[in-house]
Amino acid sequence: MSEQKQDTKQTSTQNQTSSATRQSRSGNYKGNQQNNNRNTSNRNFNRYRANKKYNLQNQPNNSQQNYNKQQRRSNGPRRGGRHQGRWQKSNNQDTSNPFSNLNEIQPPKPLPEIDENDENWKQKLKLPVKDTRMKTEDVTLTKGNDFEEFYLSRELLMGIFEKGYEKPSPIQEATIPIALFGRDILARAKNGTGKTAAFVIPALQKTDPNKPYIQALILTPTRELALQTSSVCKELGKYLNVQIMCTTGGTSLQDDIMRLMKPVHILVATPGRVLDLANKKVAKLDKCQMLIMDEADKLLSPEFQPLVEQIITHLPKDRQILLFSATFPVTVKDFKDRYLNKPYEINLMEELTLKGVTQYYAFLEERQKVHCLHTLFSKLQINQSIIFCNSVNRVELLAKKITELGYSCFYIHAKMPQHLRNRVFHDFRNGACRNLVSSDLFTRGIDIQAVNVVINFDFPKNSETYLHRIGRSGRYGHLGIAINFVTYEDRFNLYKIEQELGTEIKPIPPVIDKSLYVA
Ligand SMILES: Nc1ncnc2c1ncn2[C@@H]1O[C@H](COP(=O)(O)OP(=O)(O)OP(=O)(O)O)[C@@H](O)[C@H]1O
Ligand SMILES: [Mg+2]
């Protein structure tokens, strides 16, 4: 504790005495490299590692070991790296492996004895440690409903409260009753404001575990998001006997076929795999009344839309379709008109960016980027960061550079073997490393509460990508910062994105006030 305080003090002194200079849009951002606070925090981090006995070398198979060696050679995810800044795990961070035994069949659980007249049932719940961090109006500006007002089963309410959800967020309040009623929905709400539970809660409530077939299909554009979403389904439905299965590319088709021989009620999937299983008549979707498309605009991009339309041919005619995203470009309209039946449209995005996320840019030359990142590492109080690059190659090169600078980092992109993607995702989420370099694989939906800094090492080309990337920090109305490296070539994009999002990306100041992004 005292070490942490010391850490914080050192960093703030550093900031005050920093010789970093900030110039206007035509200028450069340069900072000095003061790393005085590393030793103290190294001790904290090493102590954490010792406690966790975090060791990637104890891997179950040879290919994993070979890959690890390769990663070490290329200075990829490194375990002995030096560390800077204060390391802190979020109270709410789940330390269990969210992906282990994900598709194991849940044995029928004896339902907890529920006395409908017991007014004290809430007091008997095992609630997580309360998150006392300040939250912005993005999640607090509600009508004041309670989950109990939605006529949810007691078992589902128990799962919701034990997940730490006390009150519904604005999007949950707006969509849960409508979805329960059976209407098609097109819902738009800001990043990190609880869209997942807004569709998972009605899906769980409407599923009858006594009917042995798929009743809801949840589609996501990436495998990691499918894993995360099925994990949320399991947590919220932990007192229900609903069987949830996650099926994505990059895993054994045979295993999925075997699993589908047993009852599955909710299927969470990426489009390619579920279409394959449906075409093989292994995944039977003819009684699946609910199709949920998370990150719907991405699922309706040319890459996915043909697959999605084929999946819909396997569903019954009177199915309910729910579309969720923070971004709905006009291209979605055509799909909406063709497939949705008098959809209830909810748009909670009068303003597009999150109130808790402050955005800055640093104008620089390509060759100055690594140096600038180094400066940021030494000056910022990063709890966890995601650093985005625009290509797989650049992700790997940057991860190498960061490791050479003496900072620990993981990296992830879609060209990595799936089991390693899972491992990096799981370990980063559990706080095994402070920094993650990523391609756009992690741009959408990924929810890691401890991330308070997002860095666009490469500035994105469009405003949707920008919005989703910076939305990886400031989850559930918390604080965060987004720092954009902008080169001469990016200058028009910066202007365009500011215009399209109606937001201001300010030049980075010499000192960034910690109260803007440290809880
Ligand atoms: N009612 C609630 N009370 C407290 N926390 C909540 C509540 N609903 C959701 N959360 C938490 O908020 C975080 C963000 O939720 P979620 O991932 O569903 O956001 P999202 O709107 O889908 O964001 P994105 O657009 O980035 O996909 C999660 O950690 C989730 O557990
Ligand atoms: Mg989401």
Side-chain angles (χ1 to χ4, degrees), residues 92 135 147 160 163-169 171-172 189-199 225 228 232 294-295 325-326 443-449 468 471-472 475-476:
N92 272 1
K135 294 185 200 95
F147 283 114
I160 293 170
K163 178 104 176 85
Y165 300 176
E166 292 174 355
K167 298 244 176 206
S169 70
I171 189 66
Q172 292 162 3
K190 288 189 185 183
N191 296 117
T193 57
K195 291 187 287 296
T196 316
F199 56 75
L225 186 53
Q228 179 182 289
V232 173
D294 190 18
E295 306 297 346
S325 185
T443 290
R444 285 173 178 259
I446 296 302
D447 177 59
I448 299 170
Q449 290 246 349
H468 286 280
R472 293 319 99 208
R475 304 298 289 167
Y476 208 68

Side-chain angles (χ1 to χ4, degrees), residues 156-426:
L156 181 51
L157 283 173
M158 288 163 69
I160 293 170
F161 292 134
E162 289 201 358
K163 178 104 176 85
Y165 300 176
E166 292 174 355
K167 298 244 176 206
S169 70
I171 189 66
Q172 292 162 3
E173 221 178 33
T175 47
I176 292 172
I178 310 286
L180 289 173
F181 188 68
R183 285 276 300 268
D184 284 356
I185 294 179
L186 191 150
R188 183 172 182 190
K190 288 189 185 183
N191 296 117
T193 57
K195 291 187 287 296
T196 316
F199 56 75
V200 166
I201 290 172
L204 287 167
Q205 176 67 32
K206 291 182 91 178
T207 299
D208 180 350
N210 298 316
K211 295 179 180 163
Y213 50 80
I214 299 166
Q215 295 164 52
L217 170 63
I218 304 177
L219 293 180
T220 70
T222 65
R223 298 165 185 177
E224 285 72 16
L225 186 53
L227 288 166
Q228 179 182 289
T229 306
S230 61
S231 185
V232 173
C233 282
K234 292 202 168 186
E235 285 177 85
L236 293 174
K238 70 192 226 196
Y239 291 109
L240 304 165
N241 275 329
V242 173
Q243 297 292 337
I244 294 143
M245 178 182 170
C246 182
T247 180
T248 70
T251 61
S252 152
L253 186 66
Q254 202 58 39
D255 288 355
D256 285 358
I257 292 172
M258 299 287 283
R259 173 63 190 87
L260 280 162
M261 288 172 178
K262 306 267 165 45
V264 172
H265 301 115
I266 297 182
L267 192 59
V268 186
T270 47
R273 173 59 64 93
V274 72
L275 180 61
D276 197 5
L277 290 166
N279 286 341
K280 287 187 164 66
K281 310 218 179 312
V282 179
K284 298 196 180 73
L285 300 174
D286 53 324
K287 290 188 210 134
C288 175
Q289 288 290 345
M290 211 176 187
L291 171 66
I292 296 161
M293 292 166 56
D294 190 18
E295 306 297 346
D297 56 322
K298 182 72 185 174
L299 288 172
L300 294 174
S301 65
E303 184 190 347
F304 288 115
Q305 181 158 357
L307 304 179
V308 170
E309 293 191 0
Q310 285 180 63
I311 292 168
I312 292 177
T313 62
H314 290 273
L315 299 172
K317 291 249 164 337
D318 58 344
R319 80 269 137 162
Q320 177 186 13
I321 301 185
L322 313 181
L323 307 185
F324 281 80
S325 185
T327 46
F328 276 112
V330 276
T331 44
V332 174
K333 191 182 173 306
D334 171 55
F335 179 88
K336 184 191 80 176
D337 294 343
R338 282 195 293 137
Y339 290 99
L340 270 63
N341 177 22
K342 294 190 204 115
Y344 183 82
E345 295 189 31
I346 301 159
N347 182 358
L348 300 184
M349 294 186 69
E350 272 161 34
E351 168 198 64
L352 302 176
T353 47
L354 288 163
K355 293 189 194 304
V357 176
T358 311
Q359 308 162 70
Y360 293 118
Y361 73 86
F363 194 79
L364 38 56
E365 286 173 35
E366 184 62 44
R367 61 186 171 82
Q368 293 172 311
K369 283 184 174 179
V370 172
H371 177 68
C372 186
L373 185 67
H374 192 185
T375 308
L376 290 176
F377 278 167
S378 68
K379 292 174 65 167
L380 292 177
Q381 197 163 310
I382 297 174
N383 198 32
Q384 276 193 299
S385 79
I386 302 183
I387 302 153
F388 285 103
C389 294
N390 285 352
S391 75
V392 163
N393 235 355
R394 286 176 66 82
V395 166
E396 294 205 0
L397 284 172
L398 180 60
K400 184 170 185 285
K401 285 269 182 228
I402 292 174
T403 317
E404 279 166 9
L405 289 174
Y407 293 92
S408 77
C409 82
F410 283 174
Y411 67 82
I412 195 159
H413 56 68
K415 297 255 162 76
M416 280 161 64
Q418 191 55 45
H419 66 284
L420 282 160
R421 279 163 62 171
N422 289 358
R423 177 151 213 115
V424 170
F425 182 26
H426 170 253

